Amino acid sequence: MDLRLTDDETRFRDDLRAWLRDAVPALGPGPADVHDWSALRDHEARWQRMLFDAGYAGINWPVEFGGQGRSPTEHLLFLEESARAGAPETNIMFVGLLHAGPTLMAEASPEQKAAHLPRILRGDEVWCQGFSEPGAGSDLASLRTRAVRDGDEYVVNGQKIWTSNAQVADFCELLVRTDPEAPKHKGISWVILPMTTPGITIRPLTTITGSQEFSEVFFDDVRVPVANRVGDENDGWRISMVTFSFERGTAFTSEMLQSFDLLRDLKERSQANGTWDDAGVRRSLGRLAADLDALWALTKRNVSQASRTGVPGVGGSVFKLHYSEMRKRMGALAMEVMGPSAVDLTDLQVDGQIHSVSLTIAAGTSQIQRNIVGERILGLPKER
């Protein structure tokens, strides 16, 4: 692993930095209402199209799929420089750009790739993820949403939950059970579902902060062409593992960069309100800073591995486990430093503390990640 920048990478960084300096102000501020999902989609889509037109969309996507064919290291530089410049975060489009798109590149048919990948890169298509169900979250393979074959179509019935951005999505990466008699990991298929299909009901869920980024989605005799299936029938669990490798391996990078800003802000607040005089607070801040530095180094290691293999490895689970647990500790320290002012739900530190609770659940719980680390990295016996 060589973490030093080459001459080409340095030129790429400098050119990108100069472009961002002009492009971010030209885009203008985002919507005043951070819960106006249609406006947020429009704002993010404009930014994605600006990236596309400037040659910065899909930095590490292969050229044949409309990307730039650059290295994972240059993708990491893109994320780092974008965060430094205050560019819009990938919130509405994250499913398509960060794991549905890469999964399609790895597993989809040529026709499916041609239909969706260019539109995802241009910002024309927004995706959501239909994986979790009320009775199948951590134990995702227990999902019960059925897809019954009827000629050239599947008829889907069931329910999904915690579906990010479903209310503004065009397509859903959907896991369905196509063989109820098979062992639970063997009877699942991965399909592309247009969200305008008749029979879909979307009900936004309001979180404690007033956001409605998640929805529960119901399917009543929803007909999906068999041609929309990615991979073989009943091979969806394997394909979902490809999706998870991208979700755990690279999708949290931008958020981690934001954590550096949160930690700097927390240090400044501590110095301003006198809690900095507490040696325990200074020690906790120092440990969090060391954790972030170590996680950034691990990210670079995972990127180096992806440069060789094309897919993030199980190191993504190590990152996801430690990062989510670290963010909980950061949130707890923020509440200690802020004291009575921590009742303000609009404060960025309070919002971060509330959000940190979800991180130990999203993209696989910490318990699931420990099993993956124990079994696939350490070689421990599998859980019965």
Side-chain angles (χ1 to χ4, degrees), residues 264-278 281-282 285 337:
R264 281 190 289 269
D265 174 79
L266 187 57
K267 174 189 173 184
E268 292 168 1
R269 294 193 194 204
S270 177
Q271 291 172 328
N273 67 16
T275 54
W276 180 257
D277 297 334
D278 186 327
V281 169
R282 296 197 304 274
L285 285 166
V337 167

Side-chain angles (χ1 to χ4, degrees), residues 96-168:
L97 288 169
L98 301 182
H99 42 94
T103 301
L104 293 177
M105 284 189 282
E107 300 291 341
S109 69
E111 295 77 14
Q112 291 167 337
K113 293 173 184 176
H116 297 288
L117 293 177
R119 292 181 57 80
I120 290 173
L121 272 190
R122 287 196 303 267
D124 297 335
E125 253 182 37
V126 170
W127 284 59
C128 61
Q129 186 182 77
F131 280 20
S132 295
E133 299 182 5
S138 298
D139 185 14
L140 180 60
S142 295
L143 65 90
R144 293 183 294 177
T145 295
R146 286 288 312 277
V148 178
R149 182 94 178 239
D150 182 18
D152 293 332
E153 295 179 316
Y154 289 117
V155 181
V156 178
N157 284 278
Q159 177 187 357
K160 297 293 179 176
I161 200 166
W162 307 124
T163 308
S164 302
N165 305 319
Q167 65 271 51
V168 292

Side-chain angles (χ1 to χ4, degrees), residues 307-324:
S307 298
R308 298 190 302 272
T309 65
V311 176
V314 291
S317 286
V318 178
F319 170 87
K320 198 274 174 181
L321 172 62
H322 193 77
Y323 173 70
S324 59

Side-chain angles (χ1 to χ4, degrees), residues 263 266 276 278-291 326 329-330 332-334 336-337:
L263 186 60
L266 187 57
W276 180 257
D278 186 327
V281 169
R282 296 197 304 274
R283 185 182 304 112
S284 295
L285 285 166
R287 286 176 175 170
L288 288 169
D291 278 342
M326 181 278 299
R329 288 189 284 109
M330 183 186 293
L333 180 63
E336 179 182 348
V337 167

